[in-house]
Amino acid sequence: MAFIKLYRKKLEENYAFLDHIFKSRNIQWGVVSKLLCGNKIYLKEIIALGVREIHDSRVSNLKKIKALDPEIQTVYIKPPAKRSIESIVRYADISFNTEIYTIQLLSAEAVKQNKVHKVIIMIEMGDLREGVMGEELIAFYGTILKMPNIEISGIGTNLNCLSGVMPTQDKLIQLSLYKQLIEAKFNISIPFVSGGTSVAIPLILKNARPMAVNHFRIGEALFFGKDLFTGDTMEGMHNDVFKLFAEIIEITEKPNTPTGELGENVAGNSFSMNDVTDLGITSLRAILDIGLLDMQPQYLESDDADITIVDASSDMLVIDISNSKKTYKIGDLIAFKIRYMGALYLLNSDYIEKTIE
């Protein structure tokens, strides 16, 4: 068997650390819950922290959040698909938008549901994912202002999500200037300027954030405490809110090199002699009850630093325990720290049990 465990105390401490950072600077923030893949057990843990705004990229997850607590402000954080308009208006209080046609559909549906749907206009600022081009922003904004049952809550941007463009003080100043331009043109006030995700936290800590940027969406930093500029764990935070535990189902001394005619394995990879440092030498290998169906080995880091991950098939993970100072036996659990994408795979798998300590 294999299971993932959430450590409640570490999650609470990470949340308190981030909440202090934002509240002390008069910044509003929401938790990005998409990592949890709609798991109700873990969503309840997030709500129990006192979170009042939750962001997700799946409307089915927002529906679950509303069922757990209708008072939480739900935010759909990608441009809505045409076929999802009805459910987005129903379950998302706010959506991120970049297309006039889509907002027209949201407006019509909001009228039908007798609701006011809020939108945040996302602006393209170099990462080349979603966003209105800067030169089109004024015309875009002016068109949306006329739409019934649509309220513009603010503007925002996404950086480091596709091309790896990092947020800088200059980028956030540029976003602030868009706010000033719109407010001057239309004689209105823009409540929120959403400056990005966890990757922007180091700028906030360095006080390099323009004051106009007053909203952030945080997921990875909450669950992994990661400084996305350096790759290190931020001081005062935990990087192991989640851990994976996988059971040993075989331990055998085996050669380091396969025998027979070689082809591609199930993952499409071929064995390379370059990967073997001790040709002709055997090693003590353990097989774990988890595979590629549930996880990707490159996102795992064993708590036992002397263990080496060899490779995985669809349902089994092979590790080398030759150098470990511990003595393992069948049925033992091997613990792994998980990186963000690794947790995403695991939490999306119905075959991995989700637990809390």
Side-chain angles (χ1 to χ4, degrees):
M1 69 170 297
F3 59 92
I4 191 169
K5 181 181 290 186
L6 180 148
Y7 291 89
R8 178 181 289 137
K9 182 65 174 176
K10 292 179 179 181
L11 177 65
E12 290 173 348
E13 290 174 357
N14 276 6
Y15 178 80
F17 182 90
L18 292 168
D19 200 45
H20 173 73
I21 288 174
F22 292 119
K23 284 185 176 177
S24 65
R25 292 164 174 82
N26 199 30
I27 298 171
Q28 183 167 323
W29 69 294
V31 169
V32 179
S33 65
K34 63 182 180 180
L35 175 75
L36 306 180
C37 300
N39 183 277
K40 287 187 177 180
I41 295 174
Y42 290 160
L43 286 174
K44 287 179 181 178
E45 293 297 313
I46 296 300
I47 293 170
L49 295 171
V51 174
R52 302 318 300 160
E53 178 179 304
I54 298 182
H55 301 234
D56 211 296
S57 57
R58 307 284 178 173
V59 69
S60 58
N61 295 343
L62 297 181
K63 180 179 179 180
K64 292 177 182 178
I65 292 162
K66 281 296 189 186
L68 291 170
D69 188 342
E71 299 305 312
I72 286 180
Q73 179 164 263
T74 50
V75 186
Y76 185 76
I77 53 172
K78 64 180 179 181
K82 178 180 178 179
R83 290 167 180 80
S84 301
I85 294 295
E86 187 275 334
S87 55
I88 286 171
V89 171
R90 189 169 303 281
Y91 300 114
D93 300 307
I94 304 174
S95 61
F96 287 4
N97 282 270
T98 60
E99 291 286 346
I100 288 174
Y101 174 67
T102 302
I103 302 174
Q104 289 172 335
L105 295 177
L106 291 168
S107 172
E109 183 61 36
V111 170
K112 188 185 298 184
Q113 293 188 28
N114 194 28
K115 295 176 69 175
V116 172
H117 184 73
K118 300 176 184 178
V119 299
I120 290 179
I121 299 172
M122 301 301 287
I123 304 171
E124 172 57 58
M125 296 189 66
D127 200 48
L128 303 181
R129 204 177 72 170
E130 82 279 20
V132 178
M133 298 302 293
E135 60 268 23
E136 299 171 359
L137 182 59
I138 293 297
F140 189 98
Y141 207 99
T143 302
I144 297 170
L145 276 174
K146 305 170 186 176
M147 294 185 188
N149 294 56
I150 293 292
E151 177 184 324
I152 305 175
S153 289
I155 58 175
T157 194
N158 256 321
L159 294 166
N160 193 239
C161 289
L162 182 66
S163 302
V165 174
M166 301 298 284
T168 61
Q169 187 176 38
D170 286 345
K171 289 285 187 186
L172 297 186
I173 288 173
Q174 184 181 352
L175 187 61
S176 302
L177 290 174
Y178 283 130
K179 166 185 163 70
Q180 294 176 22
L181 184 63
I182 292 168
E183 289 181 335
K185 173 67 176 178
F186 298 105
N187 193 28
I188 58 172
S189 176
I190 296 177
F192 295 110
V193 178
S194 192
T197 57
S198 296
V199 71
I201 291 176
L203 289 178
I204 298 170
L205 294 174
K206 294 175 184 176
N207 295 316
R209 167 196 63 103
M211 295 298 289
V213 180
N214 60 357
H215 182 272
F216 289 88
R217 300 99 59 190
I218 306 299
E220 188 164 359
L222 174 63
F223 298 114
F224 299 93
K226 191 173 182 180
D227 181 330
L228 294 174
F229 270 81
T230 66
D232 299 328
T233 302
M234 286 186 278
E235 187 176 352
M237 299 197 76
H238 302 283
N239 63 6
D240 55 353
V241 169
F242 285 109
K243 272 193 177 182
L244 168 68
F245 295 85
E247 184 176 329
I248 297 175
I249 56 176
E250 177 187 300
I251 300 176
T252 308
E253 188 89 19
K254 293 188 179 183
N256 284 328
T257 56
T259 56
E261 186 175 341
L262 297 177
E264 291 184 347
N265 64 16
V266 294
N269 301 320
S270 300
F271 177 82
S272 173
M273 298 294 282
N274 296 329
D275 297 330
V276 180
T277 55
D278 296 321
L279 293 177
I281 306 299
T282 62
S283 59
L284 186 62
R285 294 187 171 202
I287 296 179
L288 305 184
D289 190 19
I290 191 171
L292 296 173
L293 188 63
D294 310 301
M295 59 85 219
Q296 295 292 308
Q298 65 267 34
Y299 301 123
L300 305 181
E301 178 187 343
S302 174
D303 278 4
D304 184 343
D306 296 320
I307 284 177
T308 302
I309 294 176
V310 178
D311 208 345
S313 61
S314 57
D315 293 299
M316 288 179 275
L317 176 66
V318 178
I319 60 174
D320 184 340
I321 59 175
S322 304
N323 298 320
S324 178
K325 300 175 181 64
K326 300 178 181 179
T327 301
Y328 291 102
K329 61 184 184 298
I330 302 300
D332 283 350
L333 293 171
I334 303 293
F336 296 90
K337 287 182 181 177
I338 321 161
R339 284 154 57 189
Y340 181 88
M341 287 303 298
L344 197 61
Y345 278 98
L346 290 160
L347 287 162
N348 196 44
S349 174
D350 290 337
Y351 302 109
I352 301 297
E353 185 182 354
K354 283 76 175 177
T355 64
I356 298 171
E357 181 176 303

